[in-house]
PDB file of all heavy atoms in Angstrom:
ATOM      1  N   TYR B 344     -19.945  13.499 -15.109  1.00  0.00           N
ATOM      2  CA  TYR B 344     -19.698  14.155 -16.398  1.00  0.00           C
ATOM      3  C   TYR B 344     -20.967  14.187 -17.251  1.00  0.00           C
ATOM      4  O   TYR B 344     -21.205  15.133 -17.997  1.00  0.00           O
ATOM      5  CB  TYR B 344     -18.557  13.468 -17.143  1.00  0.00           C
ATOM      6  CG  TYR B 344     -18.185  14.203 -18.423  1.00  0.00           C
ATOM      7  CD1 TYR B 344     -17.585  15.458 -18.357  1.00  0.00           C
ATOM      8  CD2 TYR B 344     -18.472  13.667 -19.673  1.00  0.00           C
ATOM      9  CE1 TYR B 344     -17.276  16.159 -19.508  1.00  0.00           C
ATOM     10  CE2 TYR B 344     -18.154  14.364 -20.834  1.00  0.00           C
ATOM     11  CZ  TYR B 344     -17.560  15.610 -20.744  1.00  0.00           C
ATOM     12  OH  TYR B 344     -17.261  16.299 -21.892  1.00  0.00           O
ATOM     13  N   ARG B 345     -21.785  13.131 -17.146  1.00  0.00           N
ATOM     14  CA  ARG B 345     -23.052  13.097 -17.879  1.00  0.00           C
ATOM     15  C   ARG B 345     -23.914  14.308 -17.505  1.00  0.00           C
ATOM     16  O   ARG B 345     -24.465  14.993 -18.383  1.00  0.00           O
ATOM     17  CB  ARG B 345     -23.805  11.801 -17.559  1.00  0.00           C
ATOM     18  CG  ARG B 345     -25.206  11.728 -18.174  1.00  0.00           C
ATOM     19  CD  ARG B 345     -25.938  10.450 -17.745  1.00  0.00           C
ATOM     20  NE  ARG B 345     -25.381   9.266 -18.370  1.00  0.00           N
ATOM     21  CZ  ARG B 345     -25.643   8.868 -19.630  1.00  0.00           C
ATOM     22  NH1 ARG B 345     -26.435   9.617 -20.399  1.00  0.00           N
ATOM     23  NH2 ARG B 345     -25.121   7.767 -20.115  1.00  0.00           N
ATOM     24  N   GLU B 346     -23.978  14.623 -16.231  1.00  0.00           N
ATOM     25  CA  GLU B 346     -24.771  15.778 -15.780  1.00  0.00           C
ATOM     26  C   GLU B 346     -24.237  17.077 -16.378  1.00  0.00           C
ATOM     27  O   GLU B 346     -24.994  17.954 -16.765  1.00  0.00           O
ATOM     28  CB  GLU B 346     -24.740  15.906 -14.253  1.00  0.00           C
ATOM     29  CG  GLU B 346     -25.387  14.747 -13.509  1.00  0.00           C
ATOM     30  CD  GLU B 346     -25.048  14.801 -12.020  1.00  0.00           C
ATOM     31  OE1 GLU B 346     -24.847  15.914 -11.486  1.00  0.00           O
ATOM     32  OE2 GLU B 346     -24.966  13.723 -11.398  1.00  0.00           O
ATOM     33  N   VAL B 347     -22.914  17.165 -16.434  1.00  0.00           N
ATOM     34  CA  VAL B 347     -22.299  18.388 -16.949  1.00  0.00           C
ATOM     35  C   VAL B 347     -22.608  18.551 -18.439  1.00  0.00           C
ATOM     36  O   VAL B 347     -22.971  19.633 -18.905  1.00  0.00           O
ATOM     37  CB  VAL B 347     -20.774  18.366 -16.692  1.00  0.00           C
ATOM     38  CG1 VAL B 347     -20.096  19.569 -17.363  1.00  0.00           C
ATOM     39  CG2 VAL B 347     -20.500  18.368 -15.197  1.00  0.00           C
ATOM     40  N   VAL B 348     -22.485  17.460 -19.195  1.00  0.00           N
ATOM     41  CA  VAL B 348     -22.782  17.498 -20.633  1.00  0.00           C
ATOM     42  C   VAL B 348     -24.240  17.878 -20.853  1.00  0.00           C
ATOM     43  O   VAL B 348     -24.558  18.733 -21.699  1.00  0.00           O
ATOM     44  CB  VAL B 348     -22.483  16.129 -21.290  1.00  0.00           C
ATOM     45  CG1 VAL B 348     -23.006  16.099 -22.720  1.00  0.00           C
ATOM     46  CG2 VAL B 348     -20.986  15.848 -21.256  1.00  0.00           C
ATOM     47  N   GLU B 349     -25.120  17.276 -20.103  1.00  0.00           N
ATOM     48  CA  GLU B 349     -26.551  17.567 -20.257  1.00  0.00           C
ATOM     49  C   GLU B 349     -26.827  19.041 -19.964  1.00  0.00           C
ATOM     50  O   GLU B 349     -27.573  19.701 -20.684  1.00  0.00           O
ATOM     51  CB  GLU B 349     -27.375  16.669 -19.330  1.00  0.00           C
ATOM     52  CG  GLU B 349     -27.442  15.222 -19.847  1.00  0.00           C
ATOM     53  CD  GLU B 349     -28.017  14.238 -18.824  1.00  0.00           C
ATOM     54  OE1 GLU B 349     -28.341  14.693 -17.695  1.00  0.00           O
ATOM     55  OE2 GLU B 349     -28.124  13.047 -19.156  1.00  0.00           O
ATOM     56  N   PHE B 350     -26.184  19.542 -18.903  1.00  0.00           N
ATOM     57  CA  PHE B 350     -26.370  20.954 -18.556  1.00  0.00           C
ATOM     58  C   PHE B 350     -25.841  21.847 -19.676  1.00  0.00           C
ATOM     59  O   PHE B 350     -26.507  22.816 -20.088  1.00  0.00           O
ATOM     60  CB  PHE B 350     -25.643  21.240 -17.230  1.00  0.00           C
ATOM     61  CG  PHE B 350     -25.721  22.676 -16.798  1.00  0.00           C
ATOM     62  CD1 PHE B 350     -26.891  23.194 -16.238  1.00  0.00           C
ATOM     63  CD2 PHE B 350     -24.627  23.528 -16.936  1.00  0.00           C
ATOM     64  CE1 PHE B 350     -26.959  24.528 -15.839  1.00  0.00           C
ATOM     65  CE2 PHE B 350     -24.692  24.853 -16.538  1.00  0.00           C
ATOM     66  CZ  PHE B 350     -25.864  25.354 -15.991  1.00  0.00           C
ATOM     67  N   ALA B 351     -24.665  21.517 -20.220  1.00  0.00           N
ATOM     68  CA  ALA B 351     -24.053  22.328 -21.276  1.00  0.00           C
ATOM     69  C   ALA B 351     -24.919  22.333 -22.531  1.00  0.00           C
ATOM     70  O   ALA B 351     -25.088  23.364 -23.189  1.00  0.00           O
ATOM     71  CB  ALA B 351     -22.663  21.801 -21.590  1.00  0.00           C
ATOM     72  N   GLU B 352     -25.480  21.170 -22.872  1.00  0.00           N
ATOM     73  CA  GLU B 352     -26.327  21.095 -24.065  1.00  0.00           C
ATOM     74  C   GLU B 352     -27.606  21.910 -23.875  1.00  0.00           C
ATOM     75  O   GLU B 352     -28.030  22.637 -24.776  1.00  0.00           O
ATOM     76  CB  GLU B 352     -26.649  19.635 -24.381  1.00  0.00           C
ATOM     77  CG  GLU B 352     -25.438  18.922 -25.001  1.00  0.00           C
ATOM     78  CD  GLU B 352     -25.659  17.421 -25.203  1.00  0.00           C
ATOM     79  OE1 GLU B 352     -26.702  16.894 -24.760  1.00  0.00           O
ATOM     80  OE2 GLU B 352     -24.750  16.777 -25.789  1.00  0.00           O
TER      81      GLU B 352
END
Side-chain angles (χ1 to χ4, degrees):
Chain B
Y344 185 68
R345 174 184 289 280
E346 296 168 30
V347 174
V348 171
E349 286 169 359
F350 178 76
E352 285 174 354

